[in-house]
Amino acid sequence: MKSVIIVGGGLVGALHACFMAQRGFKVDLYEMRPDIRTLEVVRGRSINLSLSARGREALRRVGLEDIVVQTGIPMYARMIHDVDGTRRPIPYGKKDQYIMSVDRRHLNEVLLTEAEKVPNVTMHFEHKVMECDFDKGTVSFRKNDGSVVTATADLIVGCDGAFSGVRQQIMKKTLFDYEQVFIPHGYMELNMPPAAGDHFAMEVNYLHIWARNEFMMIALPNQDKTYTCTLFMPFDIFRTLTTKEAVRKFFQDTFPDSIPLLGEEYVTETVSTSKALPLISVKCSPYHVKDKAVILGDAAHAMVPFYGQGMNCGFEDCIVFDDLLNKHNNDIGATLAEYTETRSVDAKAIVDLALYNYIEMRESVNSRMFLLRKKLDNFLYWLFPNTWVPLYTSVSFSRIRYHQCIKNKQWQDRVLRRAMYVGVSGLLAVGYCALTRPQYFRLSLPVQLEDFVNRVRPSWLERICF
């Protein structure tokens, strides 16, 4: 039986343990934190997760889709909150297309419990990776009591997040390209309680967005009738909100309709005393070392959360890896080489798309041209469902490769630019013909205007008309 060490017991690590156990691998899962199923409070990121097609496919393959979906809340559209209190929905796609708001902790617990059911999976909590030997296939861990243990396996898989210890070991011991970027915006979470009577305070099946061009606030619904609100802003603005009065004025000017929903005292106290947390993007290559190690999820491609694809992309990593093991009949060396080659281009694409979508969410949704383009895309998608797939639809509601989603969008932009050019040229040609050949259009022009047109008439337009 082949063996695998998975470092990281978060979402991707726990899911990958399920995939590898299904294949008959002996799996040892090591996690730096205590078992979250035993904790009352889990520290760390709690930005709500949006589950879409790629993530659902991964859960389906390990038999967990129905369990997770039952506890999620569908979101069919963005609900934009304007400063004057107006709310306007922008659908994600067709009426039956939606993303789901899911609870991070609940999903992680479900995955850990499912992996633990399999006899060939062993879990080791409170083990921090110290060193990897990629020649011998060993990993040394420091336990909470200070002792060090060393494990050996046929494959080492790093699923240990944006600040991956396994990736750090790869960087030290191999030729490795690495790019890490902290964007100049941070985030802060707020909690919106249920309305009186234990009801949702806002329309439930939406991702709510207060888009203010330079910054924004979003809210995702939870099963307990609350909303998790996340404020994304430049750190320079966060630094100005250090007093209750400053926070009160800021929210009155920018998010006035949210104050009664969140509670004025809660907002002013929380924002003035809390620290905004950073957002990071990571690109790197290669993802593997020889036939001994590979990194998946945020360890390979951490991204900002604005496309809701961080988890979905990490889950799709597990699908791609599993498919390649099928293709190569469990040959780890061949699988790792092809995994890096095929997956890195898509991971880098979605990292870029995630940052692009921040601009769309905080600014473009306020633009009439953006809304017009959205309607045009949806209309063309209705006319040509197999040819014209909007960018958001291809990313969130299909498994089209991420880099191909970008290529499709670029092709669509070229088509529309050419159509606009032809349309404008046609209108100019018709207008010119109407001026120079009024007898064909039943127009009567003043003699002075006819003389002016004849003198300035361009030859290229003459050839278009006649």
Side-chain angles (χ1 to χ4, degrees):
M1 179 186 291
K2 289 187 177 181
S3 59
V4 56
I5 293 170
I6 298 177
V7 180
L11 296 171
V12 176
L15 177 65
H16 195 60
C18 295
F19 270 93
M20 299 301 281
Q22 280 188 167
R23 303 192 69 84
F25 278 65
K26 179 183 180 298
V27 179
D28 282 279
L29 178 67
Y30 291 86
E31 166 58 41
M32 180 175 64
R33 303 169 299 174
D35 187 344
I36 63 170
R37 295 169 295 180
T38 66
L39 302 177
E40 287 189 19
V41 178
V42 178
R43 299 185 181 278
R45 289 192 309 163
S46 59
I47 293 177
N48 274 47
L49 301 169
S50 57
L51 178 67
S52 54
R54 299 170 199 268
R56 291 184 65 160
E57 170 65 19
L59 293 171
R60 187 179 306 125
R61 291 200 185 188
V62 296
L64 293 177
E65 182 186 20
D66 291 341
I67 296 174
V68 174
V69 167
Q70 287 172 6
T71 60
I73 298 177
M75 298 182 293
Y76 293 90
R78 297 166 174 165
M79 180 65 79
I80 309 302
H81 293 240
D82 293 329
V83 177
D84 63 4
T86 302
R87 299 182 186 182
R88 45 190 176 87
I90 304 177
Y92 284 121
K94 297 178 180 179
K95 291 183 179 180
D96 61 341
Q97 290 178 325
Y98 59 88
I99 59 177
M100 296 202 74
S101 174
V102 296
D103 181 86
R104 178 189 296 271
R105 175 173 180 169
H106 172 73
L107 178 54
N108 204 165
E109 290 178 348
V110 167
L111 291 168
L112 288 171
T113 300
E114 184 65 21
E116 202 171 44
K117 290 178 182 178
V118 185
N120 48 317
V121 175
T122 305
M123 296 189 178
H124 312 265
F125 295 100
E126 300 181 82
H127 282 65
K128 182 179 180 180
V129 63
M130 301 299 295
E131 186 175 8
C132 300
D133 187 325
F134 299 117
D135 293 318
K136 298 177 180 178
T138 62
V139 186
S140 296
F141 299 92
R142 185 180 300 279
K143 299 171 67 176
N144 269 14
D145 61 8
S147 61
V148 175
V149 297
T150 300
T152 304
D154 296 300
L155 175 64
I156 302 165
V157 183
C159 300
D160 48 342
F163 302 100
S164 167
V166 175
R167 189 186 64 224
Q168 290 178 11
Q169 291 294 305
I170 295 175
M171 292 172 66
K172 290 178 180 178
K173 301 180 180 182
T174 67
L175 297 176
F176 189 75
D177 292 327
Y178 177 70
E179 176 186 339
Q180 171 183 296
V181 177
F182 283 98
I183 70 171
H185 293 230
Y187 74 93
M188 184 181 295
E189 285 197 343
L190 301 168
N191 184 265
M192 183 182 294
D198 197 31
H199 299 296
F200 282 102
M202 303 182 293
E203 301 88 340
V204 63
N205 295 118
Y206 297 91
L207 190 159
H208 293 262
I209 304 177
W210 290 258
R212 300 298 182 260
N213 298 326
E214 189 181 359
F215 52 86
M216 70 175 182
M217 184 168 69
I218 67 171
L220 279 75
N222 300 309
Q223 283 286 343
D224 62 0
K225 308 294 176 57
T226 65
Y227 282 86
T228 300
C229 302
T230 311
L231 184 58
F232 297 98
M233 291 195 306
F235 283 107
D236 289 344
I237 297 179
F238 274 118
R239 293 187 189 104
T240 67
L241 305 179
T242 56
T243 68
K244 289 186 176 182
E245 187 55 39
V247 175
R248 183 179 294 108
K249 185 177 187 313
F250 176 79
F251 269 75
Q252 287 173 344
D253 292 342
T254 55
F255 311 123
D257 66 323
S258 73
I259 296 175
L261 302 175
L262 290 163
E264 183 174 310
E265 184 60 31
Y266 167 75
V267 168
T268 56
E269 175 68 24
T270 302
V271 176
S272 63
T273 59
S274 300
K275 182 179 179 181
L277 301 176
L279 295 163
I280 187 173
S281 287
V282 169
K283 296 179 184 177
C284 60
S285 187
Y287 292 159
H288 73 287
V289 180
K290 303 176 183 178
D291 63 347
K292 289 296 184 184
V294 66
I295 50 177
L296 276 68
D298 282 356
H301 45 68
M303 65 194 73
V304 292
F306 305 117
Y307 226 118
Q309 286 296 303
M311 173 189 67
N312 291 286
C313 180
F315 281 9
E316 192 177 48
D317 289 350
C318 299
I319 297 176
V320 174
F321 196 84
D322 192 59
D323 287 344
L324 290 174
L325 283 172
N326 283 334
K327 176 181 177 180
H328 296 292
N329 196 27
N330 283 350
D331 183 324
I332 293 175
T335 296
L336 297 190
E338 187 169 349
Y339 179 78
T340 284
E341 181 181 353
T342 60
R343 194 58 177 162
S344 60
V345 63
D346 291 315
K348 291 173 182 176
I350 190 57
V351 168
D352 290 337
L353 277 175
L355 195 53
Y356 154 80
N357 211 48
Y358 185 29
I359 299 171
E360 179 174 310
M361 291 176 72
R362 75 175 196 240
E363 180 177 339
S364 300
V365 293
N366 295 324
S367 164
R368 291 184 179 181
M369 286 302 296
F370 169 81
L371 298 175
L372 178 63
R373 171 63 188 271
K374 192 86 171 173
K375 291 180 179 179
L376 178 60
D377 276 334
N378 288 336
F379 174 70
L380 292 172
Y381 182 38
W382 177 75
L383 281 180
F384 312 108
N386 298 321
T387 305
W388 195 281
V389 183
L391 177 62
Y392 191 91
T393 298
S394 64
V395 170
S396 296
F397 304 126
S398 82
R399 286 204 52 225
I400 297 172
R401 293 182 63 180
Y402 288 121
H403 83 279
Q404 190 60 52
C405 294
I406 293 177
K407 285 186 177 180
N408 290 346
K409 175 65 162 57
Q410 292 170 340
W411 170 78
Q412 291 166 3
D413 289 346
R414 287 196 300 270
V415 169
L416 291 180
R417 278 198 301 269
R418 289 171 184 171
M420 184 179 296
Y421 174 80
V422 171
V424 171
S425 299
L427 287 174
L428 288 174
V430 170
Y432 177 78
C433 294
L435 289 171
T436 59
R437 297 294 187 271
Q439 64 271 26
Y440 298 121
F441 293 86
R442 297 181 181 177
L443 294 175
S444 178
L445 297 174
V447 174
Q448 295 89 343
L449 182 56
E450 280 195 56
D451 180 63
F452 171 76
V453 169
N454 288 332
R455 282 189 285 108
V456 301
R457 177 170 56 201
S459 60
W460 67 270
L461 199 51
E462 178 82 40
R463 289 195 295 273
I464 292 177
C465 295
F466 303 98

